[in-house]
């Protein structure tokens, strides 16, 4: 049976041999063991067919956007994402989706990284502001999307803000759901995988993670897919944050 290292090497040979060889060469003189760890981790996490390569890289891209301080790794994974079938438009949509979870600055930085990558590869991206003509309908659209994605858990979040921060409740409805979640660039399952990646790596977002784990189940992600999505984050944010996320997931599963 192939070892994780052998599986990882084969994966990189099939998708981005030049890219990983650059990483290996860069570490060979001072820390060759780290390059081995990287390849082994890839061999472990990518060998489970519960998630596709595209789904895994969507999670990684959202995780790195949310962390906000890894532009080189983000560019590498955006390129890797292109190689495994993520479209340029989907990369921009992932950055857009991250805005409610990690803010405009990190999302804007990610778009800048993507633009640089696309320019280097002569990739043209033309994304329209698809909801521009329907801005007046976003409250109604947001309420409907909130109910579709989060159900009673989303309503509870909004209700909890009514007496102290009603504007924030309005922004969640109008912007997060009336704009971001209502865009067509990603389907509901993809959006929840991206959300799980963004929240897990930040840490300290367990209440919000609880809401979005329920949403992940609601849109049709299985328990196995959810756990695999959380595990995908471990090489990028470390074990403690992933352990916290797994603990929340365990609580959610017991309640369903």
């Amino acid at each position: 049976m192939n070892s994780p290292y052998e599986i990882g090497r084969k994966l990189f040979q099939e998708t981005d041999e030049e890219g990983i060889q650059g990483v290996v060469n860069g570490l060979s003189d001072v820390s060759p063991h780290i390059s081995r760890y990287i390849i082994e981790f890839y061999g472990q996490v990518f060998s489970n067919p519960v998630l596709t390569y595209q789904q895994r890289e969507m999670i990684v891209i959202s995780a790195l956007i949310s962390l906000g301080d890894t532009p080189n790794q983000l560019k590498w994974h955006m390129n890797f994402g292109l190689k495994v079938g993520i479209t340029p438009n989907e990369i921009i949509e992932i950055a857009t989706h991250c805005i409610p979870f990690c803010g405009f600055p990190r999302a804007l930085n990610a778009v800048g990284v993507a633009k640089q990558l696309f320019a280097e590869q002569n990739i043209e991206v033309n994304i329209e502001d698809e909801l521009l003509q329907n801005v007046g309908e976003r409250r109604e659209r947001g309420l409907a999307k909130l109910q579709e994605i989060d159900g009673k858990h989303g309503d509870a979040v909004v209700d909890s803000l009514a007496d102290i921060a009603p504007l924030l409740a309005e922004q969640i409805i109008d912007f997060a759901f009336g704009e971001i979640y209502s865009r067509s660039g990603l389907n509901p399952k993809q959006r929840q995988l991206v959300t799980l990646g963004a929240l897990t790596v930040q840490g300290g977002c367990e209440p919000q993670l609880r809401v979005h784990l329920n949403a992940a189940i609601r849109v049709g992600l299985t328990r196995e897919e959810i756990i695999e999505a959380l595990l995908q984050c471990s090489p990028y944010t470390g074990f403690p944050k992933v352990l916290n996320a797994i603990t929340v997931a365990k609580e959610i599963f017991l309640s369903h």
Side-chain angles (χ1 to χ4, degrees), residues 8-23 75-77 79-81 83-84:
R9 287 293 300 185
K10 184 174 185 294
L11 168 66
F12 284 122
Q13 287 170 354
E14 293 173 349
T15 55
D16 192 22
E17 185 171 16
E18 180 180 355
I20 193 59
Q21 195 58 51
V23 173
K75 184 179 179 182
W76 193 94
H77 280 282
N79 186 50
F80 190 83
K83 290 178 180 292
V84 298

Side-chain angles (χ1 to χ4, degrees), residues 19-200:
I20 193 59
Q21 195 58 51
V23 173
V24 171
N25 292 344
L27 294 170
S28 61
D29 57 341
V30 292
S31 51
H33 55 294
I34 294 181
S35 65
R36 175 169 61 83
Y37 297 159
I38 291 171
I39 294 170
E40 286 179 345
F41 260 105
Y42 271 86
Q44 288 177 332
V45 298
F46 276 84
S47 62
N48 190 330
V50 168
L51 295 178
T52 66
Y53 288 178
Q54 293 96 324
Q55 288 173 317
R56 291 184 183 280
E57 280 305 302
M58 284 185 172
I59 295 164
V60 174
I61 291 169
S62 70
L64 294 176
I65 291 172
S66 191
L67 287 172
D69 57 357
T70 57
N72 292 337
Q73 290 76 20
L74 178 59
K75 184 179 179 182
W76 193 94
H77 280 282
M78 285 180 172
N79 186 50
F80 190 83
L82 292 173
K83 290 178 180 292
V84 298
I86 299 175
T87 68
N89 282 27
E90 286 173 335
I91 287 176
I92 298 300
E93 196 63 36
I94 292 168
T96 303
H97 185 85
C98 285
I99 293 171
F101 305 105
C102 66
F104 283 102
R106 290 176 181 176
L108 287 171
N109 288 345
V111 170
V113 171
K115 286 183 67 176
Q116 182 184 40
L117 176 64
F118 297 160
E120 291 173 359
Q121 299 191 17
N122 296 314
I123 295 173
E124 293 187 7
V125 179
N126 184 17
I127 300 177
E128 296 182 0
D129 187 352
E130 60 184 274
L131 300 176
L132 178 62
Q133 304 305 317
N134 306 105
V135 172
E137 301 172 7
R138 61 183 177 186
R139 171 57 58 86
E140 180 181 356
R141 188 170 60 234
L143 287 169
K145 186 62 70 171
L146 175 66
Q147 186 61 38
E148 174 191 340
I149 301 297
D150 283 342
K152 64 180 182 180
H153 302 286
D155 292 338
V157 172
V158 171
D159 292 344
S160 71
L161 296 170
D163 62 341
I164 188 170
L167 178 59
L168 181 56
E170 291 178 9
Q171 291 172 334
I172 291 172
I173 295 169
D174 294 354
F175 180 68
F177 288 92
E179 287 285 344
I180 301 300
Y181 266 91
S182 295
R183 292 174 57 81
S184 62
L186 298 172
N187 64 44
K189 287 185 179 181
Q190 290 172 329
R191 289 193 181 279
Q192 284 313 115
L193 289 172
V194 168
T195 302
L196 294 182
L199 291 176
T200 298

